[in-house]
Amino acid sequence: MGRHKAYDREKVLNDAMQLFWQKGYHGTPLSELVAVTGLNKHSMYKEFGSKAGIFEECIEHYWMKALGEPLSLLRQKPLGLSNIIAFFEDRIEYICSKEFKSCLFVKATIEHDLVEDRALEHIQKKNRVYTGAFADCLKAAADSGEIPETSDPEFLTDYLFHFLVGMLVMGKPKKGKAEAKKQLDFIISSLKAG
Amino acid sequence: MGRHKAYDREKVLNDAMQLFWQKGYHGTPLSELVAVTGLNKHSMYKEFGSKAGIFEECIEHYWMKALGEPLSLLRQKPLGLSNIIAFFEDRIEYICSKEFKSCLFVKATIEHDLVEDRALEHIQKKNRVYTGAFADCLKAAADSGEIPETSDPEFLTDYLFHFLVGMLVMGKPKKGKAEAKKQLDFIISSLKAG
DNA sequence: GATTTTTTAAACCGATTGGTTTAAAAAGAT
DNA sequence: ATCTTTTTAAACCAATCGGTTTAAAAAATC
């Protein structure tokens, strides 16, 4: 009994996420959140409790909507170097596209002491899922002989992650997609050489 | 004629820079700037005009005070791979120290559409000085045979820069200094192998 | 038609934002 | 002692911040 909700929670979350993604946590005032989602301020608070509450749900939403697909590229069986290549090619494609707007997680990581602790921990947990997927690919590549058996997936994973984050911060390279692909080629052949 | 300024412009700039460095542009309210520098609000505006004005001068200050020393490591003659190694070892040392607080430039880059355009361009110009120094080292290394002559300093420079930025964002690696050094070793031997 | 819930708009809260102005006091230079 | 400049504190500005409350209107259920 009682009236139905007029808004679509998914759509609201998506709109809010887009805003946070573009402007960061502190760069996004509640007023704009209200404007872009179309929700009434009152409904907003009833649904999410606070600005921090919205943000945390947006992180989960971002994880599923924006990071799910590239993650699936890392998990395609059989695991190996090809996953890493496919993943980075996809990311380069995105970074060089005009829709590019960095990464919500990276922005929140940099905002660190400004963002709520819970949200930060949430992000770090998700990061670990990502680096875990990297490591699985590298282990498989070592097992199959694609890269030397002596390779250490542990630090190579973080090395790859650093490179990824650097690209996400710096955005489109001055010489475009071709330059980014050269960098990727270099990394891949380095992995093969050990 | 007239009274002398009681404050030391350098010290004021340094205090303000530290704050911006820690909290970013939007995370730093004018009130805290006033509190930390000890300047009166009125004097602040007479000296710098606006918050954006203070920030721009802090960028230049940061460039000289925080980035000058690592840059000099890249410029030590004779140029070559050793400069790159010394530079990254120094950066790793800093990143793993407890004084670490990321990089003002990286933070401002991420805040991008929130930060004044002039400041952003200022930063990008300085970044180019840095990548230029990288490129010079790589060229010298290619000339002397430290790395293959076929190496392309252009994209290798951006590759190194991406890695650097990634480290600055992610902070101390979970396994500490040793892990970061392994990553550096890997990069250097990759450069040598081509 | 009674009940329950959502929606809406508005008023309201105290605090803070970047920024300006005023006016008096303090200090240096001539 | 005079003139200039800096310093200080305070008042002031409109706007915005995250957040709460109220009360009426609009639906949906029974």
Side-chain angles (χ1 to χ4, degrees):
Chain A
M1 48 180 92
R3 186 174 173 173
H4 299 319
K5 289 178 181 177
Y7 56 87
D8 176 1
R9 202 176 193 276
E10 281 285 301
K11 194 194 166 299
V12 167
L13 235 28
N14 197 65
D15 292 340
M17 177 196 74
Q18 297 285 347
L19 239 192
F20 278 130
W21 193 348
Q22 194 172 15
K23 317 183 71 169
Y25 181 74
H26 268 67
T28 303
L30 204 61
S31 58
E32 291 192 34
L33 249 6
V34 166
V36 83
T37 59
L39 251 76
N40 183 275
K41 216 178 176 187
H42 191 244
S43 307
M44 193 107 237
Y45 270 90
K46 237 183 75 181
E47 184 73 52
F48 302 106
S50 67
K51 188 187 171 186
I54 308 167
F55 187 65
E56 249 221 277
E57 298 231 34
C58 284
I59 286 174
E60 190 60 34
H61 194 78
Y62 180 81
W63 172 251
M64 292 189 298
K65 295 295 167 184
L67 299 186
E69 197 189 304
L71 180 63
S72 75
L73 292 175
L74 280 177
R75 287 177 163 171
Q76 211 97 49
K77 303 270 168 70
L79 298 185
L81 255 196
S82 61
N83 299 81
I84 309 252
I85 296 171
F87 171 81
F88 273 101
E89 279 177 346
D90 177 69
R91 291 297 84 191
I92 288 169
E93 210 62 45
Y94 169 60
I95 289 169
C96 294
S97 75
K98 58 182 179 303
E99 294 83 32
F100 175 68
K101 44 181 168 173
S102 190
C103 166
L104 178 59
F105 281 17
V106 171
K107 286 190 178 182
T109 301
I110 284 277
E111 285 190 278
H112 90 285
D113 48 345
L114 307 173
V115 170
E116 276 62 32
D117 284 344
R118 286 188 51 195
L120 242 291
E121 282 166 29
H122 196 159
I123 286 175
Q124 285 164 354
K125 205 153 83 181
K126 298 302 187 190
N127 278 349
R128 262 173 260 133
V129 175
Y130 244 90
T131 50
F134 272 138
D136 290 341
C137 294
L138 289 171
K139 276 174 208 156
D143 287 345
S144 71
E146 281 186 296
I147 65 176
E149 308 173 42
T150 53
S151 298
D152 181 352
E154 293 269 358
F155 86 89
L156 287 178
T157 284
D158 286 351
Y159 157 76
L160 289 176
F161 204 69
H162 282 155
F163 176 70
L164 171 65
V165 170
M167 286 204 313
L168 288 168
V169 170
M170 297 308 291
K172 178 156 54 192
K174 26 185 201 292
K175 301 205 168 174
K177 216 180 291 184
E179 193 200 314
K181 287 201 174 150
K182 270 178 151 183
Q183 294 179 39
L184 176 56
D185 283 347
F186 181 78
I187 288 177
I188 298 301
S189 55
S190 300
L191 288 177
K192 286 179 182 165
Chain B
M1 46 178 89
R3 185 176 174 174
H4 300 317
K5 291 179 181 177
Y7 56 88
D8 175 1
R9 203 176 194 275
E10 281 286 301
K11 193 193 168 297
V12 167
L13 235 27
N14 196 65
D15 292 340
M17 176 195 75
Q18 298 284 347
L19 239 193
F20 279 130
W21 191 352
Q22 195 171 17
K23 317 184 72 168
Y25 181 73
H26 268 68
T28 303
L30 204 62
S31 58
E32 290 192 32
L33 250 5
V34 166
V36 84
T37 60
L39 250 77
N40 182 275
K41 218 179 174 188
H42 191 241
S43 307
M44 193 108 237
Y45 271 90
K46 237 183 76 180
E47 184 73 51
F48 301 106
S50 67
K51 188 187 171 186
I54 308 167
F55 187 65
E56 249 220 277
E57 298 231 34
C58 283
I59 286 174
E60 189 60 34
H61 195 77
Y62 181 79
W63 171 251
M64 293 189 298
K65 295 295 167 182
L67 300 186
E69 196 189 302
L71 181 63
S72 75
L73 292 175
L74 280 177
R75 288 178 160 169
Q76 210 97 49
K77 302 272 169 65
L79 299 185
L81 256 195
S82 62
N83 299 81
I84 309 256
I85 295 171
F87 171 81
F88 274 100
E89 278 178 348
D90 177 70
R91 291 297 84 190
I92 288 169
E93 210 61 45
Y94 168 60
I95 289 169
C96 294
S97 76
K98 58 182 178 305
E99 294 84 31
F100 175 68
K101 43 181 168 175
S102 191
C103 166
L104 178 59
F105 281 17
V106 171
K107 286 190 177 181
T109 301
I110 284 276
E111 284 189 278
H112 88 288
D113 48 344
L114 308 173
V115 171
E116 277 62 33
D117 284 346
R118 286 187 52 195
L120 241 292
E121 283 165 30
H122 196 159
I123 286 175
Q124 285 164 355
K125 205 153 85 182
K126 298 302 188 189
N127 278 349
R128 263 173 261 133
V129 175
Y130 244 90
T131 51
F134 271 138
D136 290 342
C137 295
L138 289 171
K139 275 174 208 154
D143 287 344
S144 71
E146 280 186 298
I147 65 176
E149 308 173 43
T150 54
S151 298
D152 180 353
E154 293 268 357
F155 85 89
L156 286 178
T157 284
D158 286 351
Y159 157 76
L160 289 177
F161 204 68
H162 283 155
F163 176 70
L164 171 64
V165 169
M167 285 205 312
L168 288 168
V169 170
M170 297 308 293
K172 178 156 54 192
K174 27 187 201 291
K175 300 203 170 176
K177 216 180 293 183
E179 195 201 313
K181 288 205 172 144
K182 271 177 149 184
Q183 295 180 36
L184 175 58
D185 283 346
F186 181 79
I187 288 177
I188 298 301
S189 53
S190 301
L191 288 176
K192 285 180 184 166

